[in-house]
Amino acid sequence: MKFAQILTVASGSLHTALALPSTLPRQQTCTSPKLRKEWSQATAGERSSYIQAVLCLATKPSTLGLPSPATVYDDFAWAHATLNNEIHGVPAFLPWHRYFVHVYEDALHDCGYTGNALYWDWAADSGAPASADVWDPTTGFGGNGNQTTPSQFGTVCVLDGPFTVLNPVYWNSDVRPHCLQRSFAEPSGDPPVEMFGFNYTPDIVAQVSSETVYDQFNNQLENGPHAAVHQGVAGGFRGLGDLGPVSSPNDPIFFLHHTNVDRIWWQWQQQDPQTRTFAYGGSIGENGPTADLDDILPMQGLAPDSVVREYMDVNSAHLCYTY
Ligand SMILES: *[C@@H]1O[C@H](CO)[C@@H](O)[C@H](O)[C@H]1NC(C)=O
Ligand SMILES: [Cu+2]
């Protein structure tokens, strides 16, 4: 089933996919990789420029031809939502999201940001995630949504910070404009920890990273700590925040979260670069075909479709970054 869907996409976009042939020799090499920093390690100027660029995305009309009032900001949520089955629960989860973060970084550059993608090291903040620097109302992304509201769609609006002005258009792939929604999960467990912090501790990241087989590692990272952060930010009892549904790029924290997921994959690759840089495989869906480095990574027109192989090595000329 999933293979059929992927084939449909592949045949529709064969020409764009071939625009990045993996067999041609590279013209350039990666001599000075760009450093991706943790949010709190970025300078005040970088953080503020990053936030301004995010706001700028929401002022540009959609480049995917989505109907007004959709903006470039919405293009990312829409592309992610419509590709849901091809990019989650599959081996391509990690390389697809690596490509997606890279495309977003380019979009921020088009909006005046000169720094690199930044990440939120949620494991470091897992003891008290709601107090993390990233939620700061003046230097960060603002905090929790309004938790005194009735539990209905669109009521848990973020109350402070730079993103209260946003009006994301999509919820899943439906047109349902709303203010940015967050609903931090209430403290639970013993001792109680908010936002399911106990599910993305440094110990859990270390345990996931001890998996030696790519497919097992990819699965455990996606379904374990990656999913827990989505639920922790969005899954409080007052209602679902924007980081919950498949339109999750609606919450700008998505990209800091996924850059951190990418960093954990990079660290795993670095443990044995010879073997692991191109370590890939597993089946596409239950009893599906075997995943291959030549599988298509569709990008819905945000950027040319590519292939998995192009997004395995961060030292490639077109990625060229480090953590
Ligand atoms: C939060 O929601 C409540 C109930 O809907 C509302 O009365 C209040 O004004 C909201 N708070 C803010 C700061 O918007
Ligand atoms: Cu995703």
Side-chain angles (χ1 to χ4, degrees):
M1 191 59 193
K2 279 197 183 121
F3 190 51
Q5 286 165 2
I6 289 168
L7 275 183
T8 310
V9 170
S11 61
S13 50
L14 198 57
H15 296 286
T16 41
L18 292 176
L20 277 176
S22 52
T23 47
L24 286 181
R26 289 276 162 208
Q27 299 295 310
Q28 299 161 341
T29 52
C30 170
T31 45
S32 44
K34 298 173 291 268
L35 179 67
R36 292 182 169 185
K37 296 187 248 187
E38 214 274 337
W39 179 256
S40 40
Q41 303 299 313
T43 66
E46 283 166 336
R47 288 193 294 240
S48 131
S49 154
Y50 186 104
I51 288 167
Q52 289 312 308
V54 173
L55 291 169
C56 158
L57 298 177
T59 65
K60 293 179 162 183
S62 163
T63 59
L64 302 184
L66 302 174
S68 173
T71 65
V72 171
Y73 187 91
D74 300 298
D75 287 346
F76 284 89
W78 182 86
H80 183 268
T82 52
L83 290 170
N84 180 36
N85 292 332
E86 293 162 59
I87 61 176
H88 301 119
V90 292
F93 169 73
L94 287 172
W96 188 87
H97 286 80
R98 175 170 282 174
Y99 187 16
F100 194 55
V101 165
H102 179 64
V103 174
Y104 188 75
E105 190 180 24
D106 280 349
L108 294 180
H109 290 158
D110 290 343
C111 266
Y113 178 60
T114 54
N116 307 320
L118 301 172
Y119 63 91
W120 172 32
D121 182 359
W122 27 255
D125 290 326
S126 61
S131 311
D133 275 0
V134 287
W135 310 122
D136 190 282
T138 42
T139 63
F141 283 23
N144 203 0
N146 191 344
Q147 301 295 295
T148 65
T149 50
S151 298
Q152 315 169 355
F153 174 77
T155 60
V156 286
C157 302
V158 168
L159 295 172
D160 58 12
F163 298 131
T164 55
V165 297
L166 292 173
N167 189 39
V169 169
Y170 293 96
W171 183 265
N172 292 309
S173 40
D174 304 327
V175 174
R176 292 185 90 179
H178 57 281
C179 53
L180 180 61
Q181 307 284 298
R182 286 193 195 124
S183 187
F184 291 177
E186 293 72 22
S188 61
D190 183 18
V193 181
E194 73 240 10
M195 300 173 79
F196 303 128
F198 43 81
N199 280 338
Y200 44 90
T201 61
D203 275 359
I204 287 175
V205 172
Q207 198 181 320
V208 168
S209 302
S210 71
E211 273 299 337
T212 55
V213 178
Y214 171 83
D215 188 37
Q216 302 298 320
F217 168 72
N218 172 68
N219 255 312
Q220 289 189 26
L221 182 53
E222 180 181 4
N223 297 321
H226 155 262
V229 171
H230 278 274
Q231 289 157 2
V233 174
F237 73 87
R238 278 290 165 196
L240 210 58
D242 271 300
L243 205 63
V246 294
S247 47
S248 49
N250 272 338
D251 190 331
I253 200 67
F254 174 97
F255 295 93
L256 267 61
H257 171 34
H258 269 278
T259 306
N260 194 45
V261 169
D262 188 66
R263 183 179 69 102
I264 293 167
W265 178 27
W266 172 83
Q267 287 172 332
W268 183 85
Q269 293 180 308
Q270 290 303 302
Q271 286 179 45
D272 184 359
Q274 291 274 359
T275 318
R276 291 190 179 175
T277 303
F278 288 95
Y280 190 64
S283 69
I284 304 174
E286 238 177 289
N287 304 317
T290 302
D292 190 274
L293 287 169
D294 291 318
D295 290 343
I296 303 283
L297 293 180
M299 207 40 79
Q300 302 292 63
L302 274 177
D305 290 358
S306 189
V307 288
V308 171
R309 185 188 307 281
E310 296 286 340
Y311 289 88
M312 297 300 289
D313 182 6
V314 304
N315 286 309
S316 59
H318 61 293
L319 289 176
C320 197
Y321 63 79
T322 189
Y323 289 100

